[in-house]
Amino acid sequence: MNSYITFRAPKNGPNKGIAIKIDMSKAYDRVEWDFIEKVMKKMGFAEKWIDKIMCCVQSVRYLVKCNNLLSDIIIPERGLREGDPLSHYLFLFCMEALSRMMIQAQNKKSLQGTRDSIKGPRVNHLFFSDDALLLVKNKKSDITCLSHILKVFANVSGQEINYEKSMGLFSPNTPREQRHNFGEILGMKVVEKLDNYLDLPLPIGKKKKNGFPGDN
């Protein structure tokens, strides 16, 4: 997370931007089966392998017990079983689509990530399962592009971004009015400090032992 740490520094010329922590509502329950299948085909997996995987995904059945009586069999049309070891890997396919959209936008110069130094590589996202941290320049064109990407991703994947719980943190030199305007474009709150990411504090700061207490 060096890009994030550096862009929080007062002298952050190459890293002036915004860090956005995305909250996805019931991420596993909302995954569309046909979307997962299309992503696997796009990634070049063999048809037989895809058929076997989709058979595992679509084989789920539910029964509801009420007053000691079982309901009829309920056949779902989307969603992944979060307790199933396979589901975590399949959800990565879902996030891979968002990752490629972010990378493609950066390659087209429509959206820029942050970097550790003037010549360093730009990074615009960090994903771990459904935990997402986005790092982009705080230009109106970039913010508008990111907002569009998130909406398109939600539409095609079935995911729903919880904008009330999602949050953005701007670099220190960003004018307050600009923070407010960009926050409205994104539709999420602007904060002075982000919640933990993967149980690590943001920012970690210079004293690494505060962020990694067991590493003394």
Side-chain angles (χ1 to χ4, degrees), residues 8-43:
R8 286 293 296 159
K11 296 180 180 179
N12 59 344
N15 291 297
K16 193 174 182 181
I18 175 175
I20 301 170
K21 187 178 180 184
I22 298 296
D23 183 272
M24 294 186 182
S25 178
K26 298 181 179 179
Y28 282 75
D29 295 340
R30 293 182 179 277
V31 175
E32 296 287 349
W33 290 346
D34 61 340
F35 176 71
I36 290 291
E37 186 174 3
K38 288 177 182 177
V39 170
M40 287 192 288
K41 288 181 179 179
K42 190 72 173 179
M43 295 176 70

Side-chain angles (χ1 to χ4, degrees), residues 63-71:
L63 291 172
V64 177
K65 189 174 184 179
C66 181
N67 296 329
N68 291 324
L69 296 176
L70 291 176
S71 68

Side-chain angles (χ1 to χ4, degrees), residues 2-3 23 43 78 89 91 99 105 117 121 124 138 140 155 166 174 187 204:
N2 287 341
S3 294
D23 183 272
M43 295 176 70
R78 67 176 183 178
Y89 295 98
F91 190 79
S99 176
S117 62
N124 62 25
N138 58 357
K140 184 176 181 180
N155 288 335
S166 298
T174 307
I204 293 175

Side-chain angles (χ1 to χ4, degrees), residues 84-101:
D84 190 328
L86 181 63
S87 295
H88 298 288
Y89 295 98
L90 294 178
F91 190 79
L92 292 179
F93 292 147
C94 181
M95 296 304 292
E96 178 67 15
L98 177 56
S99 176
R100 295 197 181 192
M101 292 172 70

Side-chain angles (χ1 to χ4, degrees), residues 136-192:
V136 299
K137 298 282 284 185
N138 58 357
K139 293 169 57 180
K140 184 176 181 180
S141 57
D142 288 49
I143 299 298
T144 302
C145 177
L146 176 61
S147 178
H148 175 70
I149 288 174
L150 293 177
K151 289 176 181 177
V152 171
F153 172 71
N155 288 335
V156 299
S157 68
Q159 292 297 307
E160 181 176 326
I161 295 174
N162 189 334
Y163 286 96
E164 292 185 0
K165 291 186 177 181
S166 298
M167 59 189 73
L169 174 66
F170 286 89
S171 53
N173 296 332
T174 307
R176 188 170 298 276
E177 183 178 356
Q178 193 178 55
R179 300 184 192 195
H180 175 74
N181 292 338
F182 290 169
E184 286 194 336
I185 293 175
L186 292 169
M188 59 185 67
K189 59 186 176 183
V190 176
V191 297
E192 296 298 327

Side-chain angles (χ1 to χ4, degrees), residues 184-202:
E184 286 194 336
I185 293 175
L186 292 169
M188 59 185 67
K189 59 186 176 183
V190 176
V191 297
E192 296 298 327
K193 182 180 179 181
L194 289 179
D195 293 340
N196 290 359
Y197 178 72
L198 302 180
D199 290 330
L200 294 177
L202 293 176

